Amino acid sequence: MTDPGSLEEKLAILAEGAKYDISCASSGSSRRNRHGIGNAASCGICHSWTADGRCVSLLKILLTNACIYDCAYCINRRSNDTRRVILTPAEVAELTIGFYRRNFIEGLFLSTGVVRNPDYTMELLIEAIRTLRETYRFNGYIHVKVVPGADLLLVERAGRYADRVSVNMELPTREGLALLAPDKSREAIVTPMRRVGALIVQTKAERKVSRTVPPFAPAGQSTQLIVGASGENDLQIVRLSAGLYDRLAMKRVYYSAFVPVNRDNRLPAPVDTPPLLREHRLYQADWLLRYYGFAPDEILDDDRPFLDLTLDPKADWALRHLELFPVEVNRAPYEILLRVPGIGVRSAERIVRARRGGHLALDSLAKLGVVMKRARYFITARGQFAADLSPDAAGLRSRLAERPTRDRWNQPSLFDDHGRGDWRSTITGEL
């Protein structure tokens, strides 16, 4: 560890080291203020977005950028010649409360390198969030990283103080992990994820019986996958994500386009821009898994292992299942409406509610949130078809294809209403 310098210097160094960790959304937690300070609201605290559409926390920091591991893709790896600093747990707590009281933040996203060993690092993290909860009586949102390989009792303690815990998987395959992060093992990563998933399910069941049971990670657990650093395809990533949601009670999987910050012959050759469009398509596929009832093998298969970069995955699926279209919006089941390009979860729910009062016409669908520029090729209303091309027409793919410019992936203006639906999809992946 080098000269610690001032607290401001350490904060600048550690905040810089944390910016590549994107798994920081706080939705899903609701912690009431009981004689303390702050609240964690279910609507989330992460209001800020980076230029490429990633969500960032206002106090997103590392406990330390020192690390005993030497992962090829990580800016904080052991072999990098960089200034190393560490905050004490008391400093983390004081910083958080100080920023909170000045209304700069609404919570804490605390990650870390691994110093000495996983258990020692985990104890420092726990002490920081324990101080916040018990000494400062802070009720705001806390997301803390679990160090792979740490004792499971420490993992449980962390989840008792935090709203969300996460273990970063980083590399989607065992082969990628062995190549780029040989100091880590798949078991060390997955074991705490399994324990967290089991405790979340167990605690929810116990709290239905007695509200005196203390909550455990009420905002769930999440993980992060790096996209493009190793040779896995999109099908492998989508199948992995589906398994994490189904078997480990995962709240959210984040996809992070690989950003080359190190020179290493095990990494892909540097390119001008990270694979943000591939990352975006994976977020869209993730929405299909979580909200639209798609199975991984409906989105991709062994003959088509990569997502189409020119077409969103739901439109791509629809074009491969033209025998189902057009569907009549006044009769189609909710599950079928969800599979129509241009109809999202909210618009499908509105259609189902609205048609109880009478048959819907084409001109009423846009008011319900349907994106008619895509949906018109796949629906009828009162038997009427609104498009000039049938679903099986040869030119439909080119009409549905997106032609993103570089600007499309930049941060949208808060004051620009043009294309609002498009940039919401860019940020969240919602279709």
Side-chain angles (χ1 to χ4, degrees), residues 196-198 200-201 220-221 243-252:
V196 168
I200 289 173
V201 172
Q221 69 165 326
L244 293 172
Y245 288 127
D246 291 342
R247 294 192 292 273
L248 298 181
M250 191 66 62
K251 183 75 172 181
R252 188 76 191 273

Side-chain angles (χ1 to χ4, degrees), residues 88-385:
T88 66
E91 286 176 326
V92 172
E94 290 165 7
L95 279 169
T96 304
I97 287 297
F99 280 122
Y100 187 88
R101 284 174 172 158
R102 282 174 282 172
N103 203 29
F104 290 163
I105 63 163
E106 295 174 82
L108 171 67
F109 174 80
L110 183 58
S111 187
T112 185
V114 182
V115 57
R116 292 192 191 178
N117 56 63
D119 284 352
Y120 177 76
T121 309
M122 202 69 221
E123 287 171 355
L124 294 178
L125 292 173
I126 292 170
E127 178 58 20
I129 58 178
R130 187 204 64 77
T131 303
L132 276 170
R133 293 292 192 219
E134 296 183 355
T135 303
Y136 291 100
R137 306 188 68 79
F138 179 66
N139 291 296
Y141 178 81
I142 295 178
H143 178 165
V144 67
K145 288 288 176 181
V146 168
V147 180
D151 189 289
L152 294 182
L153 291 176
L154 295 174
V155 174
E156 182 171 350
R157 283 190 63 201
R160 297 296 177 194
Y161 292 115
D163 293 280
R164 174 170 289 185
V165 297
S166 56
V167 188
N168 277 358
M169 185 166 272
E170 306 287 10
L171 298 168
T173 62
R174 289 181 183 273
E175 295 77 12
L177 191 69
L179 176 66
L180 300 181
D183 299 327
K184 297 179 179 176
S185 72
R186 184 81 161 196
E187 287 67 29
I189 295 170
V190 174
T191 299
M193 295 170 79
R194 287 199 186 101
R195 182 59 177 159
V196 168
L199 285 171
I200 289 173
V201 172
Q202 176 186 326
T203 304
K204 283 183 178 177
E206 291 174 350
R207 284 177 62 81
K208 287 180 181 177
V209 178
S210 171
R211 301 299 293 176
T212 61
V213 175
F216 178 86
Q221 69 165 326
S222 61
T223 191
Q224 175 179 336
L225 300 175
I226 298 174
V227 177
S230 44
E232 68 286 337
N233 59 44
D234 293 339
L235 177 59
Q236 290 173 290
I237 296 174
V238 170
R239 283 176 173 167
L240 172 63
S241 298
L244 293 172
Y245 288 127
D246 291 342
R247 294 192 292 273
L248 298 181
M250 191 66 62
K251 183 75 172 181
R252 188 76 191 273
V253 177
Y254 291 88
Y255 308 94
S256 174
F258 169 62
V259 178
V261 294
N262 299 320
R263 289 185 179 275
D264 193 303
N265 57 16
R266 293 170 292 173
L267 295 171
V271 293
D272 291 338
T273 57
L276 290 175
L277 184 53
R278 185 182 176 195
E279 174 194 290
H280 176 58
R281 292 286 181 241
L282 284 167
Y283 273 117
Q284 291 179 321
D286 190 274
W287 271 77
L288 297 186
L289 294 175
R290 289 188 293 144
Y291 298 116
Y292 291 76
F294 280 76
D297 291 347
E298 290 183 286
I299 301 170
L300 293 168
D301 54 44
D302 292 328
D303 295 329
R304 304 172 49 262
F306 285 95
L307 294 164
D308 189 332
L309 295 183
T310 64
L311 205 62
D312 75 68
K314 190 160 75 164
D316 185 47
W317 177 88
L319 291 178
R320 289 185 281 115
H321 295 82
L322 294 175
E323 72 279 3
L324 299 176
F325 301 104
V327 300
E328 170 58 47
V329 294
N330 288 295
R331 294 193 300 272
Y334 172 76
E335 294 75 15
I336 296 299
L337 289 175
L338 283 180
R339 299 203 167 210
V340 176
I343 297 182
V345 172
R346 282 169 290 189
S347 52
E349 291 172 347
R350 290 171 186 155
I351 288 173
V352 171
R353 284 197 301 270
R355 68 190 184 186
R356 292 173 189 154
H359 282 186
L360 301 173
L362 284 171
D363 57 6
S364 62
L365 295 178
K367 297 175 184 175
L368 298 176
V370 176
V371 182
M372 289 299 289
K373 70 178 182 181
R374 293 203 298 274
R376 59 181 172 157
Y377 302 106
F378 301 95
I379 59 173
T380 60
R382 297 179 180 173
Q384 288 188 311
F385 185 65

